[in-house]
Structures are given as C-alpha cells and as structure tokens.
Amino acid sequence: MGPTGKQSPSSLPVPTGGSCLLLLVCLRLGTSCPQSCQCPDHAGAVAVHCSARDLHEIPQDIPANAVLLKLDANRIARVPNGAFQHLSQLRELDLSRNAIETIGPAAFSGLAGGLRLLDLSHNRIRRIPKDALGQLSAKVRLAHNPLHCECALQEALWELKLDPDSVDDIACHSSEQEEYVGKPLIQALDAGVSFCSVQHKTTDVAMLVTMFGWFTMVIAYIVHYVRQNQEDARRHLEYLKSLPSTPASKDPLSPAP
C-alpha cells in the first residue's frame, strides 16, 4: 500500500485459478450460443432457444452442455446424420412446426441415453427410418404429419415410446389399405389391423408367380429334351433299316445235311 493509503497496481487482487476457470466457462458459453438464438440459464444448465428464427438447417454451434434445445417454428427440411451427436446432456429436443421431410438413420445418434422428449409434430414426415428412432428411450411426438401407413411405419412404431398426450392425433395421410386413410393410426393398430399382412400377401403372391415360372421352364426343358431324344431315336432306326441285309452265317458245329 502506498503512502496515500491507496493500493498500488501490483497489490491489486489477482483472480485465482478457480475464478479464471469460471470466467473462461462463462465466456465460452456466451460465445458458443448460435447466432440469432438465446441461451439462458435453465435450472443451472444451458437452454438454447432458436424458435421462429427462420432457420433452414440445424445450427452447428450448439453448446455441448445444452439440456433444452428449441428449434420449433422454423423452415428446417431435413435432419442429417449426427446432427446432435455432441449433445450428450440434451434432455428435450423440439423440432415441431418445421418442414422436415427427411430424417437420416443416424440423425439422433448420441442422444439415446439422456433424451426424455422429442417433438416432431407438425412436419412433413411420411416415412420414419426404424434405425433413426428405435434406440431412443424418449417420448416421441409425431402428431400432424402426412404419414404413409405401411409395414415399415408399423414396425418403427413398435419400437417407439409415443407421447400419450398426442398419440390420438397420429393419422394415416395415405395407406396401402385405403379404408384407413384419414383415420387415427393407433385406433387401427389397437383394433388388430396389420399393415404388414398386406406386404406379406404381396410377397407370397410374387413368390408363387416366380416358382410357377421356374416350374414351367423346367417342364418345357424336359419336354424339349424328350422330343429331341425321340427324334434322334427315330432317325437312328431309319438309318438301320436302310442298311442292306446280310445272310446269316452257318454254325460250324451244326451237323451237315
């Protein structure tokens, strides 16, 4: 301390290692928030709010410690493979009210352990790859999508934990069985309808047609083979008949007349 009672620059408090680390973390969180989004504190963690930001794709610079990610009400058309693979702490992902048509088979890789809610409602999803959602333990919202009701969709739904609050709003926009178009999908499945049985019947018919075709080819080949052999035998017989006849040789042991 100087003679005037003021602290000299050399005597000013220096931040400790812990304070520096906290400062660096805070700066990192502040700079890693995607542009035009907000990243407020969420119960001691990070929440990323990118709702209604006119986004056409999923941002790449989402903080790795985000627990809530809201991307709803944008113009996102596809969810590529590995889009969230660095977000192992994510608990809730809202992709509702976009224009999503395509979901990569590994789109949600890295989220299987911790994700609790995935909202895909109000999009343009027609088909869901089984591998994309099958490993998730989260509740999934699929309401208000133009789903094509087929065997692949039914098999994918068997492996999902659908959100009970929105499950009744999942309907068949198109279907291999036209009588279910526009009707709630879950009601049809609960009634015992199987979209896979149609595919199995089609497969069985195709297999029967294929087998019949092969059987016909085999029969045709056998008939052709038999006829060809008969023709060769007839020609050989005619050839033998055309040969000059020779007198029979005498038996040397027979008695003389």
Side-chain angles (χ1 to χ4, degrees), residues 148-149 172-183 193 195 198:
H148 177 66
C149 291
C172 297
H173 183 266
S174 59
S175 174
E176 295 180 353
Q177 303 182 41
E178 295 182 359
E179 61 268 27
Y180 298 108
V181 174
K183 295 183 179 180
V193 176
F195 296 98
V198 176

Side-chain angles (χ1 to χ4, degrees), residues 34-153:
Q35 187 178 5
S36 75
C37 300
Q38 296 179 350
C39 300
D41 181 80
H42 181 76
V46 177
V48 181
H49 292 268
C50 302
S51 304
R53 302 294 179 177
D54 198 32
L55 298 176
H56 291 257
E57 59 183 17
I58 298 171
Q60 300 293 322
D61 52 348
I62 301 171
N65 58 344
V67 296
L68 170 65
L69 176 57
K70 294 185 68 65
L71 292 166
D72 55 301
N74 283 290
R75 299 185 181 183
I76 299 171
R78 58 185 294 267
V79 183
N81 292 330
F84 312 101
Q85 61 184 358
H86 66 293
L87 304 177
S88 59
Q89 301 181 39
L90 197 63
R91 297 294 178 266
E92 182 175 339
L93 175 58
D94 188 354
L95 289 165
S96 64
R97 300 183 185 280
N98 276 280
I100 297 174
E101 297 182 0
T102 306
I103 299 176
F108 304 106
S109 61
L111 302 180
L115 195 65
R116 296 291 176 263
L117 177 63
L118 173 60
D119 195 343
L120 291 168
S121 61
H122 294 275
N123 276 285
R124 301 175 183 175
I125 302 170
R126 285 180 51 82
R127 291 178 171 84
I128 300 175
K130 187 192 306 184
D131 296 338
L133 303 176
Q135 303 299 322
L136 297 179
S137 58
K139 292 182 180 179
V140 181
R141 294 175 181 170
L142 289 171
H144 303 288
N145 277 288
L147 294 172
H148 177 66
C149 291
E150 58 180 349
C151 184
L153 176 63

Side-chain angles (χ1 to χ4, degrees), residues 14 52 163 168 187 212 251:
V14 179
D163 179 34
D168 291 334
Q187 291 184 10
F212 179 77
D251 188 353

Side-chain angles (χ1 to χ4, degrees), residues 1-11:
M1 180 178 295
T4 59
K6 296 182 180 180
Q7 290 181 334
S8 63
S10 61
S11 62

